[in-house]
Amino acid sequence: MTLSAKTVVLIAIGAALYGIGGLPMFGIPVFANTTLKPAMAVLALFGVLFGPLVGFLVGFIGHWVTDLFAGWGVWLTWVLGSGIVGLLIGLYPKITNERLEKGKFTVWDFSLFVLLAFLGNVLGYGCSAYLDSVLYAEPFTKVMAQLTIIAAGNTLLIAIVGHFILTAVAKRKQQSYNLKEAD
């Protein structure tokens, strides 16, 4: 598999934005070792706009960057979880037949976006929680509490920020889509 230069640049930019935006100084601590990060909206938007591969790599590399700069060490289980979140949200263009590219963002499209964000968070960070419990002997109740809080909080955050941005993207695309060549 080869990646175009454009895709590599998108991944680098997305991972940097997600990685730096995920640092504790930009987040809201909500539970033991659990922070609600506005950078999740960056991950969701890169997945929606550029697909599952970009979404996965932005989440995976970006979370790795966060962990490195935060100083608590790299938690590969949660790095993988962020990658899975980006991958699942990145399925959006395929499922919607790229309606956003045509300037369409309906209530159904928004509902699908929120559903994918929720499933991505539950499955991605559910995998992280399970692996933490098995590999690191973290208490199961703790990791399940982390999962519940993060899945709900991230989904809400992604839905709010994503609605405004995707509505604006659709409006912009609609204007471009309706242009006709002058005679």
Side-chain angles (χ1 to χ4, degrees), residues 30-54:
V30 290
F31 188 67
N33 301 328
T34 307
T35 304
L36 187 59
K37 304 182 290 188
M40 287 303 294
V42 170
L43 175 58
L45 295 172
F46 269 79
V48 165
L49 296 175
F50 305 111
L53 177 63
V54 171

Side-chain angles (χ1 to χ4, degrees), residues 127-147:
C127 177
S128 302
Y130 175 76
L131 290 172
D132 270 7
S133 182
V134 171
L135 298 176
Y136 302 127
E138 291 284 332
F140 187 73
T141 52
K142 175 192 166 204
V143 293
M144 288 310 291
Q146 286 175 313
L147 169 62

Side-chain angles (χ1 to χ4, degrees), residues 49-71:
L49 296 175
F50 305 111
L53 177 63
V54 171
F56 177 81
L57 291 173
V58 165
F60 190 89
I61 296 167
H63 197 125
W64 193 303
V65 168
T66 296
D67 283 358
L68 283 175
F69 284 105

Side-chain angles (χ1 to χ4, degrees):
M1 174 172 62
T2 60
L3 297 176
S4 69
K6 176 186 173 185
T7 302
V8 171
V9 169
L10 287 170
I11 292 166
I13 291 169
L17 289 171
Y18 178 68
I20 300 304
L23 290 172
M25 68 179 117
F26 298 116
I28 302 163
V30 290
F31 188 67
N33 301 328
T34 307
T35 304
L36 187 59
K37 304 182 290 188
M40 287 303 294
V42 170
L43 175 58
L45 295 172
F46 269 79
V48 165
L49 296 175
F50 305 111
L53 177 63
V54 171
F56 177 81
L57 291 173
V58 165
F60 190 89
I61 296 167
H63 197 125
W64 193 303
V65 168
T66 296
D67 283 358
L68 283 175
F69 284 105
W72 52 59
V74 176
W75 284 73
L76 286 176
T77 53
W78 292 88
V79 167
L80 176 64
S82 288
I84 293 170
V85 172
L87 174 88
L88 288 176
I89 296 174
L91 295 174
Y92 178 87
K94 300 283 186 215
I95 295 170
T96 62
N97 293 320
E98 300 191 11
R99 281 194 297 269
L100 189 62
E101 283 297 313
K102 299 170 188 160
K104 296 180 180 11
F105 188 62
T106 64
V107 171
W108 186 87
D109 293 327
F110 176 67
S111 300
L112 178 63
F113 172 68
V114 173
L115 177 65
L116 287 172
F118 179 72
L119 290 174
N121 275 279
V122 169
L123 295 174
Y125 294 128
C127 177
S128 302
Y130 175 76
L131 290 172
D132 270 7
S133 182
V134 171
L135 298 176
Y136 302 127
E138 291 284 332
F140 187 73
T141 52
K142 175 192 166 204
V143 293
M144 288 310 291
Q146 286 175 313
L147 169 62
T148 303
I149 293 167
I150 286 303
N154 284 347
T155 301
L156 182 63
L157 183 120
I158 289 169
I160 292 168
V161 174
H163 180 268
F164 289 113
I165 293 175
L166 293 178
T167 300
V169 167
K171 185 176 180 181
R172 177 76 176 172
K173 296 279 186 182
Q174 183 64 42
Q175 291 169 347
S176 300
Y177 194 71
N178 287 334
L179 292 177
K180 295 187 174 146
E181 190 173 318
D183 291 326

